Amino acid sequence: MRLLLVEDEPELSALIRNALERAGFAVDLVPDLAEADDHLALAGYDAIVLDLALPDGDGLSLLRRLRAGGSNTPVLVLTARDGPDDRVAGLDSGADDYLVKPFHMPELVARIRALLRRPGAVLGVTLSLGNLLLDTTTRQVRVDGLDIRLSVRETALLELLLRRQRHVVPREILEQNLYSFGAELGSNAMEVLVHRLRRKLAEANATLRVHTVRGVGYLLAGTE
Ligand code: CA
């Protein structure tokens, strides 16, 4: 899952980005509306976290343009203003949720997950294949009912493959969803990640396998 974070306060934005990355999201951080527009033109996002008071304008203008253009990407608005009028304006402009600063990071992560679970959004609650279950809310992975330990990124990879199980998932799609825009990706970063996931699945006797489709991507299929 890839998020766009539009926030101009350096300290706060770093905290938010860290919290979201630890929760398994790939996060692109931009400090103003102009850069937000550039990123939105180039990449697809699963959700947007949008500050309202930005150096080059009001976040609500971006939100209105998005909705006018037909985008239904979930948007969570961050606001330092506490007046009810601002909240109403945000929701009228098409925000799906809002948080008033200061807020607790776990609250932000929980709200984002809730947005992504809404009808029409891509997230389901539990994904399964063979003897493996992945709970997309708690991030628990179980094989035959026993928890297995995966890193945040391994879990994110598994989730992407499970969502399109038995179909090839192109490598670029995986990279876009697992790593931030412009992240320094070693040439074999994806191979290393897939290798670790395969090893852990094998160690847990999971009845599924990650297949490499040379030159295209990866495919997850059951072994039974
Ligand atoms: Ca601001």
Side-chain angles (χ1 to χ4, degrees), residues 7-9 51 53-54 101:
E7 168 63 68
D8 60 311
E9 292 167 45
D51 183 31
L54 293 162
K101 298 175 188 174

Side-chain angles (χ1 to χ4, degrees), residues 187-224:
S187 60
N188 65 343
M190 188 58 76
E191 279 85 355
V192 171
L193 183 64
V194 169
H195 175 78
R196 286 204 311 259
L197 178 61
R198 275 187 181 130
R199 182 168 47 81
K200 292 187 182 179
L201 292 177
E203 283 169 3
N205 296 315
T207 57
L208 41 86
R209 189 175 298 156
V210 183
H211 300 273
T212 302
V213 182
R214 219 160 276 289
V216 187
Y218 298 94
L219 175 152
L220 185 68
T223 55
E224 289 178 337

Side-chain angles (χ1 to χ4, degrees), residues 76-131:
L76 186 148
V77 159
L78 301 179
T79 174
R81 313 160 184 173
D82 201 8
D85 291 352
D86 287 315
R87 301 182 189 193
V88 171
L91 295 171
D92 278 352
S93 304
D96 298 271
D97 199 358
Y98 61 86
L99 269 178
V100 178
K101 298 175 188 174
F103 52 83
H104 293 293
M105 290 302 153
E107 173 79 15
L108 174 68
V109 171
R111 297 279 192 103
I112 301 264
R113 289 206 170 123
L115 283 185
L116 291 168
R117 276 199 307 278
R118 285 191 183 168
V122 243
L123 274 187
V125 175
T126 302
L127 301 169
S128 67
L129 180 64
N131 60 355

